[in-house]
């Protein structure tokens, strides 16, 4: 999925760098650099044309020392056990850095969801739950949406689980539709969380948000709300967004003089984030090639697509004016690109900090499910802002105190909390 770089090797490499700096015990490192449990299973689905098709499914539970495993399910044709392992590992660090009482997990299915009918999608979602239901649950492992999955899919999955266990169990999946056990604000949460962390970073580096120009890769849920928030919360401008066109099977960059209008682009995009090129052109948008977003005149780059996009080659293309990199995607930056970011003194908000708003709101959703009492949207977003702001400053304080790169500081905060939970639970002791 990420070209030459294996995402799981990348996740392990990032961890190893920090484990060395922390002089972490070799045995403890060995526990943390691998997932605790992994499931691979086959999901048969009766297709609309009468044929039976079998899909490959995965769930990886990386570490649950701090609480139930938590993390999305991704439907993507290039999913592999290693991408899921990497994403599960990053979820452990994400929940720890956000300081929510959850562990890390991730699931996947090798499939292009856009190629399925609604009925086939529902069958696949229910099949995923039938394969996994004994190993997930509100106190065990709680999946959510990610690339290629939607709130409606979470609704079907929660329903299938509830049927199998014989009782309504909304807290087993998060990111459900509002009115079907979902939380207000969950749709906006990841993108707005990215914007809250950008706001705090701008304070640290003395950047005026109103004069700031962002360039964004992707136009899925996270990119859509990151662009809306960048304009409406910060008062900045979004020069362009790049988006994968599933009809042409390639990406384009959409830009407009004076900045793009994310509400308009959202209104002409399908549920997978493919923008209608002809309608955009009619409305005066320029359509450039896939990489044009990288070299656009911007102060802030927001990779909000897939892993491995900011790598040794692509980092060479970025405009000289970039001062801030806000990693809205999971694992967008390779270790090779990290060296260039450090050298050029670009302030980097690492992925599992920057995009932790989604899972933080998922945690709020679970809390509301447990209480069976639902909060107003303002209350959800206010709590989200508080959590994001405090996570951001704990990482940047650590970076300043130890004079380390922000990604390493985020790992330090997270590893410290996970190791402490393992110690407190007696997982590392010789026996009392
Ligand atoms: N898929 C999102 C992520 O990567 C959200 C996970 C969740 O809400 O559990 O953070």
């Amino acid at each position: 999925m990420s070209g030459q770089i294996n995402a799981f090797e990348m996740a392990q490499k990032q961890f190893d760098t920090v484990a060395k700096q922390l002089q972490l015990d070799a045995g403890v490192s060995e526990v943390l650099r691998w997932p605790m449990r992994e499931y691979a299973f086959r999901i048969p689905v009766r297709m609309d044309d009468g044929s039976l098709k079998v899909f490959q499914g995965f769930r990886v539970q990386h570490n649950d020392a701090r609480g139930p495993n938590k993390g999305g399910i991704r439907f993507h044709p290039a999913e592999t056990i290693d991408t899921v392992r990497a994403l599960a590992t990053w979820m452990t660090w994400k929940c720890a850095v956000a300081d929510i009482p959850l562990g890390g997990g991730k699931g996947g299915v090798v499939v292009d969801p856009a190629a399925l009918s609604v009925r086939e999608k529902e069958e696949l979602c229910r099949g995923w739950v039938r394969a996994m239901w004994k190993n997930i649950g509100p106190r065990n492992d709680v999946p959510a949406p990610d690339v290629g999955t939607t709130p409606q899919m979470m609704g079907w999955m929660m329903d299938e689980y509830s049927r199998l266990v014989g009782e309504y169990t909304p807290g087993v999946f998060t990111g459900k539709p509002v009115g079907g056990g979902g939380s207000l604000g969950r749709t906006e949460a990841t993108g707005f969380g990215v914007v809250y962390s950008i706001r705090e970073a701008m304070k640290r580096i003395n950047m005026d948000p109103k004069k700031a120009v962002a360039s964004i890769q992707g136009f899925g849920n996270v990119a859509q709300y990151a662009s809306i928030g960048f304009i409406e919360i910060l008062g900045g401008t979004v020069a362009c967004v790049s988006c994968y066109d599933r009809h042409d099977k390639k990406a384009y960059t959409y830009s407009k003089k004076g900045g793009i209008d994310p509400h308009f682009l959202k209104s002409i995009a399908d549920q997978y984030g493919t923008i209608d090129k002809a309608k955009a052109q009619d409305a005066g948008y320029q359509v450039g090639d896939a990489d044009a977003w990288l070299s656009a005149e911007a102060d802030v780059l927001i990779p909000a697509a897939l892993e491995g996009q900011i790598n040794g080659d692509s980092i060479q293309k970025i405009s000289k004016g970039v001062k801030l990199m806000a990693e809205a995607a999971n694992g967008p930056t390779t270790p090779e690109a990290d060296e260039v970011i450090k050298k050029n003194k670009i302030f980097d908000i690492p992925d599992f900090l920057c995009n932790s708003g989604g899972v933080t709101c998922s945690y709020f959703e679970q809390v509301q499910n447990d209480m069976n009492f639902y909060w107003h949207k303002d209350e959800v977003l206010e709590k989200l802002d508080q959590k994001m702001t405090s996570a951001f400053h704990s990482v940047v304080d650590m970076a300043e105190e130890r004079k380390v790169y922000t990604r390493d500081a985020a790992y330090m905060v997270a590893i410290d909390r996970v190791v402490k939970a393992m110690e407190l639970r007696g997982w590392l002791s010789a026996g009392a």
Side-chain angles (χ1 to χ4, degrees), residues 31-234:
V31 174
L32 291 172
R33 62 200 303 282
W34 282 94
M36 302 184 74
R37 281 177 295 275
E38 302 181 347
Y39 302 89
F41 43 91
R42 312 278 286 163
I43 311 169
V45 174
R46 181 66 64 189
M47 305 301 279
D48 290 350
D49 66 4
S51 65
L52 190 71
K53 206 165 164 185
V54 185
F55 294 90
Q56 179 64 49
F58 302 107
R59 183 74 183 169
V60 172
Q61 298 170 343
H62 176 259
N63 186 289
D64 57 5
R66 287 175 46 88
N69 296 102
K70 185 85 193 80
I73 302 176
R74 204 156 79 156
F75 283 4
H76 196 282
E79 204 67 280
T80 65
I81 186 69
D82 272 350
T83 53
V84 184
R85 281 173 175 156
L87 292 158
T89 309
W90 286 322
M91 285 310 301
T92 299
W93 311 133
K94 190 180 303 191
C95 293
V97 98
D99 208 8
I100 52 178
L102 297 166
K106 204 75 161 204
V109 176
V110 184
V111 62
D112 174 8
L116 301 183
S117 71
V118 174
R119 191 199 62 81
E120 289 165 345
K121 273 188 278 202
E122 179 170 350
E123 283 303 310
L124 181 59
C125 288
R126 291 187 186 275
W128 194 97
V129 176
R130 284 195 294 274
M132 271 304 294
W133 71 280
K134 290 219 165 143
N135 304 298
I136 59 171
R139 302 285 170 265
N140 176 7
D141 184 2
V142 184
D146 201 287
V147 172
T149 48
T150 61
Q152 173 60 76
M153 293 181 185
M154 297 305 114
W156 291 327
M157 287 176 151
M158 180 277 279
D159 179 73
E160 189 68 22
Y161 181 88
S162 296
R163 286 181 196 212
L164 288 163
V165 298
E167 64 183 35
Y168 176 58
T169 316
V172 62
F173 283 89
T174 61
K176 301 179 293 297
V178 171
S183 170
L184 290 167
R186 178 65 185 84
T187 308
E188 296 87 345
T190 316
F192 280 10
V194 167
V195 170
Y196 300 146
S197 66
I198 292 175
R199 182 195 62 210
E200 294 309 304
M202 285 178 167
K203 288 183 196 159
R204 293 267 184 159
I205 60 174
N206 284 326
M207 229 174 128
D208 181 353
K210 296 204 164 40
K211 292 194 187 127
V213 179
S215 180
I216 303 185
Q217 185 193 33
F219 202 60
N221 167 269
V222 180
Q224 288 175 6
Y225 286 97
S227 34
I228 291 173
F230 197 86
I231 296 165
E232 294 175 8
I233 301 173
L234 299 182

Side-chain angles (χ1 to χ4, degrees), residues 303-370:
L306 296 173
E307 59 273 13
Q309 299 296 306
I310 308 289
N311 51 40
D313 295 332
S314 62
I315 192 82
Q316 305 301 339
K317 299 186 184 154
I318 73 170
S319 121
K320 292 267 173 296
V322 174
K323 296 179 204 67
L324 185 59
M325 175 86 73
E327 299 181 354
N330 289 314
T333 306
T334 66
E336 211 184 328
D338 272 332
E339 293 312 312
V340 181
I341 293 174
K342 283 185 221 170
K343 202 176 93 215
N344 293 350
K345 297 200 165 35
I346 296 170
F347 188 101
D348 187 85
I349 313 175
D351 55 353
F352 61 80
L353 168 67
C354 190
N355 69 28
S356 63
V359 74
T360 300
C361 194
S362 276
Y363 165 58
F364 296 156
E365 181 176 330
Q366 268 200 301
V367 170
Q368 295 170 79
N369 290 155
D370 275 353

Side-chain angles (χ1 to χ4, degrees), residues 410-427:
Y411 266 99
M412 285 176 183
V413 172
I415 292 171
D416 192 51
R417 289 180 182 158
V418 175
V419 171
K420 190 161 179 210
M422 293 200 298
E423 266 164 12
L424 290 171
R425 293 182 64 170
W427 291 9

